[in-house]
C-alpha cells in the first residue's frame, strides 16, 4: 500500500496508525455534491435544512434511532489530529473513536453506522445493535464517505449502507438520527436522506442550527475587547467587581439577544476572522490590560473558542509579560478560530487516593430538557479524561456544597430557558456546560465564585457516563444507590476491545464494570458503577492503574501521579 501523507504548515507528515485515511471533500467539492444531490448549492442546502430537519430530543430506546457517530468539521477534528502528528505526539484518531464509541448510545434494534475494526468490535459487543458498515475508509469523516457513496449511484440503485438507512426511514418515519454535531456536510447528507426516503421532515438528535453555529463556543460568555470598552471601568478601588462583571456581560451578543445574564468569569473574546497578526496582538494585549486594570488580576488562561479536548489551552499566562502575550497572538494566527483570554482560576480541589479532582462540575441538557444530576470531571491538566455522576445528595462527598450544586444546575436551566424564550424555540436538545468553583484573586479576592467556563452544546462525554449509569441500574436491578464513573484510557498497540474486556474482569456484588470502546494504540473508554460516586471514581482510577500495570494501557493517571494544574 502506498504511504499516505498530509501537509501541515509546509511540512509533509506520514499518516500512519490511523483507522481512516486523510481524505477530505473540499469546500468546492461539497458545493458540487450539494448541487448534484439536492439541486442547490451549500447556501440553499443550509436554508432547506433549517426547515426540513427537526431538532428532536429523545431518550435512548424511546424511539427507533440511526446512530451516525461521524467526527465533525465544526470541532476541527482532522486539524487536531494533524496538529498532534506535527508535534510528534500520538493523535487521538477522532474519526475512529467517535464512530466506535457512538455505538454505545444505540439501543437494541437501532442502526449504528460506522467503519473499521474498532467499530465492528463495538457492534459485536453490543449484542443487539444493527451495524451498518461503510466500506470506504479513505475519507477521514464518515459524512464525507457517505456523501461520496450517494453521488456515485442513482437513487434507484443505492449502495447498501444508504439503502439500509433509506429503508429504515421509510418503514419507521419516527426514527431519530443521533449525531455528534450537525455540520454543513452532515446536514447535506441528512437532507438527501430525508428526501430519498420521502419524509416531510427528518428528526435529528442535534441542536438547531443557530445554537450549533452561533452559540456553541466559549466566546458566547465573553464580550470582545471592543464591546468591553463600551463599559466604564471601576471608579474607585472599593467598587464591587461583580457589578462590573455583569455590566460587561450585558454588552455581549448573547445578552443583547436573550436578555439573560449567565454566571461567568472575567475574560474577553478575541476575533480571528479578518485579523492580521498586528491586530490580533493588539486584541491580546488589550484583553490582558483590561483583566489587570479592571480586576487586579496577574494571570490569565488562553483558550481556543471551539477547542475539542482542552489540549491547546494555555494556563497561568502572565498578564504583564508582553512577549508571552505576543506568542499567544501568533498561536491564534495558526488557524481561523476565535480565542478567549480569561482569568486563571484557582479551583477548589478534592483528593481521592492517588488523584486530585479540580472542582469543575458540569450539568447537562438531555432529550430537550435539563437532566437529573451532574458530573465531576476527571482531567489530565486541562484535558478532559472522564466523568463521575453525582447528584445533590452526594455532591458533598467531593466537597461541593449542595447549594453550589443547585447553582450549577440553575445556570444550565437559565441557558435552556433563554433558547426557548421569547416565543421561539431554537431546538436546544442536548449539551453540557462546565463550571468553575474557584477563587480568582485580584479585586475578586479569595471568595469562591461559581461560573460557567465552557459551553459544549452538542454531543459530549457525559452522555456516556449517563448511558453507562442506565445500564448499571438495569444490571443491578435498582435505581437508587447506583453511581457511575467513566475514564478515558490510552490502549497499548495490541489492546483492542476484546483484550480490554478480558483484562477488566468481574465486578463485586454491588458494582458493574464495562469496557465501552477501544481503538488500539489510540483511545478507549471504561466504566465502573458503585454504591457511592466517590467509590466509583476511586475504582475506575484503580482499574485504569491495574490495566496499565498489566501492559494493556500506555498510561495511568495514578501510576504517573499526574496532578491537574
Amino acid at each position: 500500500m502506498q504511504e499516505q501523507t498530509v501537509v501541515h504548515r509546509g511540512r509533509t507528515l506520514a499518516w500512519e496508525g490511523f483507522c481512516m485515511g486523510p481524505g477530505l471533500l473540499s469546500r468546492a467539492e461539497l458545493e458540487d455534491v450539494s448541487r448534484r444531490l439536492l439541486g442547490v448549492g451549500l447556501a440553499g442546502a443550509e436554508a432547506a435544512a433549517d426547515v426540513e430537519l427537526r431538532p428532536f430530543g429523545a431518550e435512548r430506546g424511546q424511539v427507533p434511532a440511526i446512530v451516525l457517530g461521524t467526527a465533525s468539521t465544526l470541532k476541527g477534528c482532522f486539524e487536531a489530529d494533524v496538529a498532534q502528528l506535527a508535534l510528534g505526539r500520538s493523535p487521538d484518531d477522532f474519526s475512529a473513536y467517535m464512530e466506535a464509541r457512538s455505538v454505545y448510545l444505540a439501543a437494541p434494534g437501532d442502526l449504528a453506522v460506522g467503519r473499521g475494526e474498532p467499530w465492528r468490535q463495538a457492534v459485536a459487543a453490543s449484542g443487539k445493535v444493527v451495524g451498518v458498515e461503510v466500506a470506504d475508509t479513505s475519507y477521514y469523516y464518515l459524512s464525507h464517505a457517505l456523501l461520496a457513496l450517494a453521488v456515485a449511484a442513482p437513487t434507484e440503485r443505492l449502495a447498501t449502507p444508504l439503502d439500509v438507512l433509506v429503508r429504515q426511514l421509510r418503514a419507521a418515519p419516527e426514527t431519530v438520527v443521533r449525531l455528534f454535531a450537525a455540520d454543513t456536510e452532515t446536514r447535506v447528507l441528512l437532507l438527501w436522506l430525508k428526501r430519498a426516503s420521502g419524509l416531510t421532515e427528518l428528526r435529528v438528535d442535534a441542536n438547531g442550527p443557530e445554537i450549533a453555529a452561533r452559540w456553541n463556543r466559549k466566546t458566547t460568555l465573553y464580550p470582545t475587547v471592543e464591546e468591553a470598552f463600551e463599559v466604564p471601568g471601576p471608579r474607585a478601588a472599593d467598587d464591587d467587581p461583580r457589578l462590573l462583571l455583569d455590566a460587561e456581560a450585558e454588552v455581549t451578543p448573547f445578552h443583547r439577544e436573550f436578555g439573560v445574564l449567565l454566571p461567568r468569569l472575567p475574560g474577553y473574546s478575541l476575533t480571528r476572522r479578518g485579523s492580521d497578526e498586528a491586530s490580533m496582538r493588539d486584541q491580546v494585549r488589550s484583553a490582558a490590560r483590561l483583566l489587570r486594570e479592571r480586576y487586579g488580576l496577574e494571570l490569565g488562561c488562553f483558550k481556543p473558542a471551539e477547542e475539542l479536548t482542552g489540549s491547546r489551552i494555555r494556563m497561568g499566562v502572565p498578564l504583564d509579560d508582553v512577549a508571552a502575550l505576543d506568542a499567544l497572538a501568533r498561536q491564534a494566527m495558526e488557524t481561523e478560530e476565535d480565542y478567549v483570554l480569561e482569568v486563571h482560576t484557582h479551583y477548589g480541589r478534592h483528593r481521592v487516593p492517588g488523584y486530585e479532582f479540580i472542582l469543575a462540575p458540569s450539568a447537562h441538557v438531555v432529550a430537550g430538557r435539563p437532566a437529573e444530576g451532574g458530573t465531576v470531571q476527571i482531567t489530565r491538566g486541562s484535558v478532559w479524561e472522564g466523568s463521575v455522576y453525582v447528584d445533590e445528595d452526594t455532591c458533598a462527598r467531593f466537597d461541593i456544597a449542595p447549594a453550589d450544586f443547585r447553582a450549577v444546575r440553575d445556570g444550565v436551566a437559565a441557558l435552556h430557558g433563554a433558547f426557548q424564550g421569547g416565543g421561539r424555540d431554537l431546538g436546544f436538545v442536548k449539551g453540557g456546560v462546565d463550571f468553575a468553583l474557584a477563587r480568582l484573586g485580584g479585586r475578586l479576592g479569595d471568595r469562591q465564585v461559581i461560573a460557567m467556563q465552557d459551553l459544549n452544546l452538542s454531543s459530549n462525554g457525559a452522555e456516556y457516563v449517563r448511558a453507562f449509569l442506565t445500564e448499571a441500574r438495569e444490571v443491578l436491578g435498582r435505581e437508587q444507590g447506583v453511581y457511575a464513573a467513566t475514564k478515558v484510557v490510552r490502549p497499548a498497540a495490541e489492546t483492542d476491545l476484546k483484550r480490554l474486556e478480558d483484562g477488566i474482569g468481574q465486578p463485586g456484588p454491588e458494582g458493574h464494570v464495562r469496557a465501552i470502546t477501544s481503538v488500539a494504540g489510540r483511545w478507549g473508554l471504561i466504566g465502573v458503577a458503585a454504591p457511592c460516586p466517590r467509590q466509583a471514581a476511586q475504582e475506575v482510577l484503580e482499574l485504569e492503574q491495574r490495566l496499565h500495570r498489566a501492559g494493556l494501557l500506555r498510561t495511568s493517571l495514578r501510576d504517573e501521579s499526574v496532578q491537574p494544574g
Side-chain angles (χ1 to χ4, degrees):
M1 178 188 241
Q2 185 176 2
E3 181 184 74
Q4 294 179 305
T5 60
V6 292
V7 177
H8 176 71
R9 300 174 66 186
R11 291 174 56 200
T12 299
L13 307 171
W15 185 263
E16 296 176 340
F18 288 87
C19 295
M20 314 304 167
L24 301 172
L25 292 174
S26 68
R27 186 73 179 183
E29 289 171 325
L30 287 170
E31 183 79 25
D32 180 63
V33 165
S34 180
R35 292 189 181 280
R36 293 173 65 181
L37 293 179
L38 306 174
V40 295
L42 292 176
E46 288 286 0
D50 290 350
V51 176
E52 299 180 46
L53 303 180
R54 178 187 169 196
F56 187 88
E59 298 278 2
R60 177 179 177 269
Q62 184 178 344
V63 295
I66 294 170
V67 178
L68 189 66
T70 179
S72 175
T73 54
L74 282 176
K75 292 293 187 178
C77 298
F78 176 79
E79 290 78 8
D81 269 340
V82 172
Q84 292 297 96
L85 273 184
L87 293 171
R89 299 172 183 167
S90 176
D92 283 303
D93 199 355
F94 289 111
S95 58
Y97 91 64
M98 287 184 178
E99 290 174 41
R101 78 173 183 176
S102 69
V103 174
Y104 194 63
L105 301 181
D110 286 350
L111 275 56
V113 188
R115 305 169 292 171
E117 182 59 22
W119 172 85
R120 283 191 290 270
Q121 289 191 9
V123 170
S126 73
K128 297 180 181 179
V129 172
V130 179
V132 181
E133 184 167 4
V134 178
D136 187 354
T137 60
S138 64
Y139 289 100
Y140 182 86
Y141 293 109
L142 175 60
S143 56
H144 290 202
L146 288 167
L147 285 171
L149 278 180
V151 167
T155 304
E156 62 271 15
R157 294 198 304 276
L158 292 177
T160 298
L162 295 175
D163 185 56
V164 172
L165 300 183
V166 168
R167 288 177 183 273
Q168 168 68 24
L169 293 171
R170 287 174 179 167
E174 71 275 18
T175 297
V176 64
V177 181
R178 300 197 188 280
L179 301 172
F180 173 64
D183 53 28
T184 297
E185 41 269 81
T186 305
R187 284 160 64 80
V188 169
L189 174 65
L190 295 180
L191 194 58
W192 175 84
L193 277 173
K194 175 258 176 192
R195 295 180 180 183
S197 305
L199 302 182
T200 55
E201 66 175 14
L202 178 60
R203 294 173 166 186
V204 182
D205 183 27
N207 294 324
E210 185 175 341
I211 293 175
R214 189 176 179 191
W215 305 116
N216 187 22
R217 56 191 67 198
K218 295 176 179 66
T219 48
T220 294
L221 300 171
Y222 302 94
T224 64
V225 171
E226 292 81 4
E227 289 165 342
F229 279 133
E230 298 177 23
V231 179
R235 297 179 180 178
D238 59 351
D239 284 354
D240 189 342
R242 293 174 296 183
L243 298 178
L244 175 60
L245 192 59
D246 287 347
E248 288 182 342
E250 289 175 358
V251 301
T252 63
F254 181 87
H255 185 270
R256 286 172 168 164
E257 181 88 11
F258 300 108
V260 173
L261 275 177
L262 299 175
R264 54 178 289 275
L265 298 170
Y268 306 95
S269 60
L270 312 169
T271 306
R272 170 66 179 87
R273 188 178 298 276
S275 298
D276 57 19
E277 187 169 332
S279 61
M280 181 57 71
R281 186 167 57 244
D282 288 343
Q283 288 185 71
V284 175
R285 291 182 182 182
S286 295
R289 186 173 71 253
L290 287 170
L291 289 171
R292 294 196 318 269
E293 294 177 355
R294 292 189 169 187
Y295 297 99
L297 298 168
E298 298 179 355
L299 298 175
C301 186
F302 191 67
K303 299 179 176 180
E306 298 177 64
E307 172 67 303
L308 187 63
T309 66
S311 61
R312 292 182 295 145
I313 292 174
R314 301 290 176 262
M315 298 183 292
V317 177
L319 295 175
D320 60 353
D321 187 333
V322 175
L325 296 173
D326 290 351
L328 296 180
R330 289 193 294 274
Q331 175 186 327
M333 293 301 296
E334 294 176 1
T335 65
E336 291 297 318
E337 62 195 321
D338 295 339
Y339 275 74
V340 160
L341 182 63
E342 67 179 21
V343 57
H344 176 84
T345 51
H346 303 280
Y347 291 101
R349 294 176 179 268
H350 177 77
R351 182 176 292 279
V352 299
Y355 179 75
E356 189 174 60
F357 283 88
I358 61 171
L359 297 187
S362 305
H364 310 92
V365 168
V366 176
R369 58 185 181 274
E372 66 172 14
T375 59
V376 177
Q377 299 181 62
I378 300 173
T379 56
R380 183 190 296 266
S382 61
V383 179
W384 172 85
E385 287 218 339
S387 303
V388 184
Y389 177 83
V390 297
D391 54 24
E392 192 172 326
D393 292 336
T394 57
C395 61
R397 299 176 195 182
F398 287 88
D399 294 328
I400 300 173
D404 293 344
F405 189 76
R406 288 194 295 272
V408 166
R409 290 176 47 78
D410 289 347
V412 170
L415 180 67
H416 181 261
F419 289 146
Q420 288 191 320
R424 60 175 180 168
D425 185 349
L426 299 186
F428 185 21
V429 301
K430 64 163 54 176
V433 180
D434 299 337
F435 285 73
L437 273 60
R439 295 178 297 102
L440 304 183
R443 297 184 59 231
L444 287 154
D446 288 335
R447 59 190 166 195
Q448 179 182 266
V449 300
I450 305 168
M452 290 184 175
Q453 200 166 20
D454 194 8
L455 304 182
N456 300 298
L457 308 185
S458 63
S459 182
N460 55 83
E463 288 186 73
Y464 293 88
V465 76
R466 290 179 179 275
F468 177 71
L469 177 64
T470 298
E471 175 186 289
R473 287 172 171 175
E474 291 172 353
V475 169
L476 296 171
R478 63 180 189 274
E479 290 288 318
Q480 302 302 315
V482 181
Y483 294 87
T486 52
K487 175 70 178 66
V488 172
V489 295
R490 304 292 172 179
E494 302 300 321
T495 306
D496 60 10
L497 185 56
K498 295 174 184 176
R499 289 184 175 87
L500 193 59
E501 287 174 333
D502 291 342
I504 280 179
Q506 298 299 314
E510 292 190 307
H512 179 57
V513 294
R514 176 71 180 266
I516 296 171
T517 308
S518 183
V519 179
R522 298 298 189 188
W523 194 95
L525 190 66
I526 58 175
V528 169
C532 162
R534 195 172 187 275
Q535 181 182 343
Q538 288 181 234
E539 290 184 2
V540 82
L541 291 164
E542 289 168 359
L543 175 58
E544 181 193 38
Q545 181 185 48
R546 179 166 60 80
L547 293 169
H548 177 233
R549 292 183 176 179
L552 294 171
L553 304 179
R554 293 183 283 122
T555 64
S556 161
L557 274 182
R558 290 188 58 153
D559 276 339
E560 295 177 2
S561 299
V562 173
Q563 301 298 319

